[in-house]
């Protein structure tokens, strides 16, 4: 496993980390039971993963993660969690907003720990950003002072903001507030490389790359649909890519699948501290870990992806 520094936190984090949300939700949607979850996390720990991402809004994921991590030395890994269930983090939603401190305590209990490494505002957007900073950030600072929280971060909306407007705003206006940010960067969504990543490097903000392959690169039918749509909209030429298996040219000695190429691309930017995989399968996890043993694509493949999709912002 390779390790990178998580921005100004100075923490060494595994290049491949684990996220218990996404389409698989820690196996809740793929039929993994408790024993399977424990085996999955154990295998990840054995292979050197030391950052685990979760959220109060991901079903039972905090509780399941706390359970599966039992027995591992708490100082050997970082837990990142979030406040503000997806879709409910709205200005005016007082019940939700006032719930931050209580939610934090619940997270500690569910995760069976007495501190959180990274607490993130979940899915902040331009409407909620001001409230997060003015009203809720001080609560997290208070928790930090009590020794219950180490670092503060924000995650941004996957579908509503594929061009990361709020992340750009956050890093332009308040770079000192954010130890980490989480957003999507992949070969079908390279937008973060334009402005967010240079700002993150400039200000020492750690970047957790979420959803590098997600749906568009893991479901062949979805890949075909995306490419067909782009051809129709003139974003790429009719002969730029084949209609079937449009990304199969990426498969070769360096990447044994399109998914492998997707994770490699997601890791191959100096701003990215870690790529979070949301897999619920040990076999998939092992394949993804192998992919990031050498986190780069052949130069000509990388350049072709940038030429084709440098302006792309495919949300899923
Ligand atoms: N706004 C936010 O805060 C936000 C939004 C999105 C995600 N996140 C975080 O980022 C994490 C990662 O996002 P994600 O789960 O969308 O990421 P992802 O790793 O890009 O996608 C996960 C999907 O890819 C599949 N997959 C992964 N490796 C595979 C392989 N080798 N072969 C076949 N299929 C494979 C998984 O299915 P299998 O389970 O079958 O492998 C799952 O359906 C989430 O879990 C969450 O912690 C945060």
């Amino acid at each position: 496993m390779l390790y990178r520094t998580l921005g100004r936190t100075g923490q060494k984090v595994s290049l491949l980390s684990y996220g218990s949300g996404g389409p698989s939700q820690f196996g809740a949607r793929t039929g993994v039971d408790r024993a399977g979850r424990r085996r999955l996390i154990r295998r990840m720990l054995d292979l050197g993963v030391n950052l685990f991402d979760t959220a109060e809004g991901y079903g039972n994921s905090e509780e399941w993660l706390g359970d599966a991590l039992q027995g591992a030395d708490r100082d050997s890994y970082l837990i990142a969690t979030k406040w503000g269930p997806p879709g409910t983090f709205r200005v005016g939603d007082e019940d939700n907003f006032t719930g931050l401190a209580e939610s934090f305590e619940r997270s500690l209990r569910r995760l069976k720990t007495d501190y959180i490494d990274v607490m993130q505002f979940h899915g902040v957007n331009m409407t909620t950003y001001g409230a997060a900073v003015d009203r809720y950030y001080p609560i997290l600072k208070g928790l930090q002072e009590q020794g219950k929280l180490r670092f503060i971060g924000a995650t941004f909306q996957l579908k509503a903001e594929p061009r990361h407007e709020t992340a750009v705003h956050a890093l332009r206006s308040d770079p000192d507030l954010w130890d980490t940010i989480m957003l999507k960067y992949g070969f079908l969504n390279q937008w973060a490389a334009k402005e967010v990543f240079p700002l993150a490097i400039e200000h020492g903000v750690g970047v957790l790359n979420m959803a590098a392959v997600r749906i568009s690169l893991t479901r062949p039918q979805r890949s075909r649909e995306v490419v067909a749509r782009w051809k129709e909209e003139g974003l790429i030429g009719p002969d730029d890519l084949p209609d079937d298996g449009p990304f199969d040219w990426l498969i070769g000695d360096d990447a044994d699948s399109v998914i492998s190429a997707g994770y490699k691309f997601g890791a191959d930017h100096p701003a990215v501290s870690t790529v979070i995989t949301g897999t619920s399968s040990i076999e998939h996890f092992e394949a993804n870990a192998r992919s990031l043993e050498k986190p780069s694509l052949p130069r000509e493949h990388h350049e072709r992806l940038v030429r084709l999709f440098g302006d792309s912002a495919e949300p899923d």
Side-chain angles (χ1 to χ4, degrees):
M1 181 64 70
L2 298 175
Y3 293 82
R4 288 190 186 161
T5 304
L6 185 63
R8 66 168 82 107
T9 73
Q11 302 295 299
K12 294 288 178 203
V13 291
S14 49
L15 183 54
L16 187 65
S17 51
Y18 176 60
S20 55
S24 292
Q25 290 248 327
F26 206 172
R29 297 187 185 144
T30 55
V32 179
D33 63 10
R34 180 180 184 220
R37 291 192 298 271
R38 291 165 74 104
R39 277 196 301 275
L40 180 67
I41 295 298
R42 174 53 52 194
R43 188 70 184 126
M44 291 178 177
L45 288 165
D46 286 347
L47 288 185
V49 169
N50 73 348
L51 191 154
F52 297 88
D53 179 66
T54 180
E56 182 174 54
Y58 295 164
N60 297 318
S61 131
E62 284 189 324
E63 197 179 340
W64 289 353
L65 192 58
D67 177 59
L69 283 166
Q70 284 307 289
D73 175 5
R74 177 66 185 87
D75 294 336
S76 66
Y77 59 84
L78 279 75
I79 293 178
T81 190
K82 313 185 188 77
W83 173 73
T88 60
F89 186 64
R90 294 185 301 264
V91 169
D93 186 346
E94 295 302 329
D95 286 346
N96 185 34
F97 280 163
T98 53
L100 172 54
E102 294 85 339
S103 165
F104 189 92
E105 295 298 329
R106 283 198 300 273
S107 292
L108 288 179
R109 279 199 296 280
R110 282 192 293 250
L111 286 159
K112 298 185 171 56
T113 182
D114 52 11
Y115 68 93
I116 301 289
D117 297 282
V118 188
M119 186 68 186
Q120 307 158 105
F121 288 108
H122 198 163
V124 187
N125 60 30
M126 290 305 281
T127 311
T128 56
Y129 182 78
V133 168
D134 297 337
R135 296 167 62 185
Y136 303 104
Y137 194 93
I139 297 173
L140 295 186
K141 282 309 266 187
L143 291 163
Q144 231 175 9
E145 279 154 22
Q146 294 170 44
K148 294 178 173 178
L149 171 63
R150 300 178 70 201
F151 308 112
I152 299 177
T155 80
F156 301 95
Q157 298 202 344
L158 184 71
K159 296 188 185 175
E161 289 195 358
R163 290 182 172 78
H164 319 301
E165 291 84 348
T166 309
V168 171
H169 174 71
L171 294 198
R172 274 194 200 146
S173 322
D174 312 299
D176 296 343
L177 295 186
W178 307 112
D179 298 318
T180 66
I181 56 168
M182 181 187 292
L183 44 64
K184 176 185 173 87
Y185 172 69
F187 73 67
L188 295 181
N189 189 328
Q190 301 182 29
W191 206 265
K194 292 176 186 292
E195 199 171 349
V196 180
F197 284 174
L199 284 166
I201 290 172
E202 182 187 343
H203 297 289
V205 177
V207 174
L208 295 93
N209 182 11
M210 67 189 189
V213 301
R214 192 122 172 149
I215 305 288
S216 310
L217 297 186
T218 58
R219 319 280 201 270
Q221 176 59 22
R222 188 62 88 87
S223 299
R224 282 193 289 274
E225 286 165 13
V226 169
V227 167
R229 173 159 44 81
W230 286 359
K231 286 185 180 181
E232 212 175 287
E233 292 171 1
L235 298 172
I236 56 174
D239 301 322
D240 278 342
L241 292 171
D243 294 330
D244 281 325
F247 307 125
D248 287 356
W249 51 276
L250 289 162
I251 301 171
D253 291 344
D254 292 270
D256 59 10
S257 67
V258 172
I259 293 171
S260 169
Y263 280 116
K264 280 174 186 283
F265 189 95
D268 194 16
H269 191 291
V272 172
S273 314
T274 185
V275 177
I276 311 178
T277 180
T279 187
S280 57
S281 140
I282 290 182
E283 193 190 326
H284 292 170
F285 170 72
E286 290 173 343
N288 302 344
R290 277 193 303 278
S291 300
L292 292 196
E293 281 170 6
K294 183 172 167 270
S296 48
L297 290 168
R299 180 195 283 260
E300 65 277 15
H301 285 182
H302 190 98
E303 286 175 355
R304 187 175 179 202
L305 288 170
V306 173
R307 250 191 339 270
L308 284 167
F309 308 120
D311 286 331
S312 64
E314 192 62 32
D316 224 0

